Coordinates of all heavy atoms in Angstrom, one line a residue:
Chain B
D1239 N 86.5 101.5 61.8 CA 87.8 101.0 61.2 C 88.8 100.5 62.3 O 88.6 101.0 63.5 CB 88.5 102.1 60.4 CG 87.8 102.4 59.0 OD1 86.9 101.5 58.6 OD2 88.2 103.3 58.3
T1264 N 85.2 110.1 65.4 CA 85.2 108.9 64.6 C 85.2 107.7 65.5 O 86.1 107.5 66.2 CB 86.5 108.9 63.8 OG1 86.6 110.1 63.0 CG2 86.4 107.7 62.8
D1265 N 84.0 107.1 65.7 CA 84.0 106.1 66.8 C 83.8 104.6 66.3 O 84.1 104.3 65.2 CB 82.7 106.4 67.7 CG 81.4 106.5 67.0 OD1 81.4 106.1 65.7 OD2 80.4 106.8 67.6
E1266 N 83.6 103.8 67.3 CA 83.6 102.3 67.1 C 84.9 101.8 66.6 O 84.9 100.8 65.8 CB 82.4 101.9 66.2 CG 81.0 102.3 66.7 CD 79.9 102.0 65.7 OE1 80.1 101.3 64.8 OE2 78.8 102.4 66.2
L1267 N 86.0 102.5 66.9 CA 87.3 102.1 66.4 C 87.9 100.8 67.1 O 87.6 100.5 68.3 CB 88.2 103.3 66.6 CG 88.0 104.6 65.8 CD1 89.0 105.6 66.4 CD2 88.0 104.4 64.3
T1268 N 88.7 100.1 66.4 CA 89.6 99.2 67.0 C 91.0 99.7 67.0 O 91.4 100.1 66.0 CB 89.6 97.8 66.3 OG1 88.3 97.2 66.4 CG2 90.6 96.9 66.8
L1269 N 91.7 99.8 68.1 CA 93.0 100.4 68.2 C 94.0 99.3 68.3 O 93.8 98.4 69.0 CB 93.2 101.4 69.3 CG 92.3 102.6 69.4 CD1 92.6 103.4 70.7 CD2 92.5 103.4 68.1
I1270 N 95.2 99.4 67.6 CA 96.1 98.4 67.5 C 97.5 99.0 67.8 O 97.8 100.1 67.2 CB 96.2 97.7 66.1 CG1 94.9 97.1 65.8 CG2 97.4 96.8 66.0 CD1 94.7 96.9 64.3
L1277 N 98.1 108.0 74.4 CA 97.2 108.4 73.2 C 96.0 107.4 73.2 O 94.8 107.9 73.0 CB 98.0 108.3 71.9 CG 97.0 108.6 70.6 CD1 96.3 109.9 70.7 CD2 97.9 108.5 69.4
F1278 N 96.2 106.1 73.6 CA 95.0 105.2 73.6 C 94.1 105.6 74.7 O 92.8 105.6 74.5 CB 95.4 103.8 73.7 CG 96.0 103.0 72.5 CD1 96.2 103.8 71.3 CD2 96.2 101.7 72.5 CE1 96.7 103.1 70.3 CE2 96.6 101.0 71.4 CZ 96.9 101.8 70.2
D1279 N 94.6 106.0 75.8 CA 93.8 106.4 76.9 C 92.9 107.6 76.6 O 91.8 107.7 76.9 CB 94.7 106.9 78.1 CG 93.9 107.0 79.5 OD1 93.5 105.9 79.9 OD2 93.8 108.1 79.9
Q1280 N 93.4 108.5 75.7 CA 92.7 109.7 75.3 C 91.6 109.3 74.3 O 90.4 109.8 74.4 CB 93.7 110.7 74.6 CG 94.6 111.3 75.7 CD 95.7 112.2 75.0 OE1 95.7 112.4 73.8 NE2 96.7 112.7 75.8
L1281 N 91.9 108.5 73.4 CA 90.9 108.1 72.5 C 89.8 107.3 73.2 O 88.6 107.4 72.8 CB 91.5 107.2 71.3 CG 92.5 108.1 70.5 CD1 93.3 107.1 69.5 CD2 91.7 109.0 69.5
I1282 N 90.1 106.4 74.1 CA 89.2 105.6 74.9 C 88.3 106.7 75.7 O 87.0 106.5 75.8 CB 89.9 104.6 75.8 CG1 90.5 103.5 74.8 CG2 89.0 104.0 76.8 CD1 91.6 102.7 75.7
G1283 N 89.0 107.6 76.3 CA 88.2 108.6 77.2 C 87.2 109.4 76.3 O 86.1 109.7 76.8
A1284 N 87.6 109.6 75.1 CA 86.7 110.3 74.2 C 85.5 109.5 73.8 O 84.6 109.9 73.0 CB 87.3 110.9 73.1
G1285 N 85.4 108.2 74.1 CA 84.3 107.3 73.8 C 84.4 106.8 72.3 O 83.4 106.3 71.8
L1286 N 85.6 106.7 71.7 CA 85.7 106.4 70.3 C 86.0 104.9 70.1 O 86.1 104.4 68.9 CB 86.8 107.3 69.6 CG 86.7 108.8 69.8 CD1 87.8 109.4 68.9 CD2 85.2 109.3 69.3
V1287 N 86.3 104.2 71.2 CA 87.0 102.9 71.0 C 86.1 101.7 71.5 O 85.7 101.7 72.7 CB 88.4 102.9 71.6 CG1 89.2 101.6 71.3 CG2 89.2 104.1 71.3
D1288 N 85.9 100.7 70.6 CA 85.1 99.5 71.0 C 86.1 98.4 71.5 O 85.8 97.6 72.3 CB 84.4 98.9 69.9 CG 83.1 99.8 69.6 OD1 82.8 100.7 70.4 OD2 82.4 99.4 68.6
R1289 N 87.4 98.5 70.8 CA 88.2 97.3 71.1 C 89.6 97.7 70.9 O 90.0 98.6 70.2 CB 87.9 96.3 70.0 CG 88.7 95.0 70.0 CD 88.1 94.0 69.0 NE 88.8 92.7 69.0 CZ 89.3 92.2 67.9 NH1 89.2 92.7 66.7 NH2 90.0 91.0 68.0
V1290 N 90.5 97.2 71.8 CA 91.9 97.4 71.8 C 92.7 96.1 71.6 O 92.3 95.1 72.3 CB 92.4 98.1 73.1 CG1 93.9 98.1 73.2 CG2 91.9 99.5 73.2
R1291 N 93.6 96.1 70.7 CA 94.5 94.9 70.6 C 95.9 95.5 70.8 O 96.5 96.1 69.9 CB 94.4 94.4 69.1 CG 93.0 94.3 68.6 CD 92.9 93.7 67.2 NE 93.2 92.3 67.1 CZ 93.2 91.6 66.0 NH1 93.0 92.2 64.8 NH2 93.5 90.3 66.0
A1309 N 87.1 102.1 81.4 CA 86.3 101.5 80.3 C 86.4 100.0 80.4 O 85.4 99.4 80.1 CB 87.0 101.9 79.0
S1314 N 82.8 98.4 78.8 CA 82.5 99.1 77.6 C 83.6 98.9 76.5 O 83.4 99.2 75.5 CB 82.2 100.6 77.8 OG 83.4 101.2 78.2
L1315 N 84.7 98.3 77.0 CA 85.8 98.2 76.1 C 86.4 96.8 76.1 O 86.6 96.1 77.2 CB 87.0 99.0 76.5 CG 88.3 99.0 75.8 CD1 88.1 99.7 74.4 CD2 89.5 99.7 76.5
A1316 N 86.5 96.1 74.9 CA 87.0 94.8 74.7 C 88.6 94.9 74.6 O 89.0 95.8 73.8 CB 86.4 94.1 73.6

Side-chain angles (χ1 to χ4, degrees):
Chain B
D1239 281 356
T1264 311
D1265 61 3
E1266 298 176 9
L1267 297 174
T1268 293
L1269 299 183
I1270 299 161
L1277 180 54
F1278 281 11
D1279 194 68
Q1280 294 174 1
L1281 295 167
I1282 292 162
L1286 306 184
V1287 186
D1288 283 357
R1289 184 173 177 227
V1290 167
R1291 313 179 78 180
S1314 67
L1315 179 70

